[in-house]
Amino acid sequence: MIGRRWTGAIVDVLMQRDEPLRFNEIAHAVPQLSDRMLSERLRELENRGVVVRDVDPGPPVKVTYGLTSMGRGLGPALSALKEWAQAWLHDEASGHRSN
């Protein structure tokens, strides 16, 4: 699930904030991500119990997305993946390869 394209980035954005975010706030934080793909990934994460969608009927209607405790539990794994990627991307960008 986390390995699917954009899912890690979405969870990372939600992880960085203590309060739930609106759709447009998430979209702004990951500008390369289309609205259609963001909507699809949020729905998948909600169905898996990683993200909770909250609808405030308003007016105006306000929909926010936040991580569940299950989603917050991904923090250490995401941190480790980010550290790994930064180390290897840095090595690759500078032309060094470790075997």
Side-chain angles (χ1 to χ4, degrees), residues 10 23 26-27 33-42:
I10 295 166
F23 185 92
I26 301 167
L33 178 58
S34 71
D35 287 352
R36 181 179 153 275
M37 184 62 69
L38 175 56
S39 179
E40 189 177 304
R41 292 295 181 258
L42 284 170

Side-chain angles (χ1 to χ4, degrees), residues 75-91:
L78 281 179
S79 292
L81 281 172
K82 282 169 68 174
E83 287 176 27
W84 177 87
Q86 289 170 350
W88 283 98
L89 290 176
H90 174 73
D91 284 351

Side-chain angles (χ1 to χ4, degrees), residues 7-82:
T7 303
I10 295 166
V11 172
D12 188 48
V13 166
L14 292 170
M15 189 80 62
Q16 293 175 25
R17 302 283 289 276
D18 288 330
E19 72 274 356
L21 298 174
R22 297 185 75 160
F23 185 92
N24 285 336
E25 292 173 310
I26 301 167
H28 181 69
V30 188
Q32 306 88 351
L33 178 58
S34 71
D35 287 352
R36 181 179 153 275
M37 184 62 69
L38 175 56
S39 179
E40 189 177 304
R41 292 295 181 258
L42 284 170
R43 197 172 311 115
E44 290 170 358
L45 289 167
E46 182 183 6
N47 289 338
R48 294 283 191 128
V50 174
V51 167
V52 62
R53 178 178 183 261
D54 184 51
V55 179
D56 180 0
V61 175
K62 181 179 176 184
V63 180
T64 58
Y65 299 88
L67 292 175
T68 63
S69 57
M70 178 189 205
R72 290 255 169 231
L74 288 167
L78 281 179
S79 292
L81 281 172
K82 282 169 68 174

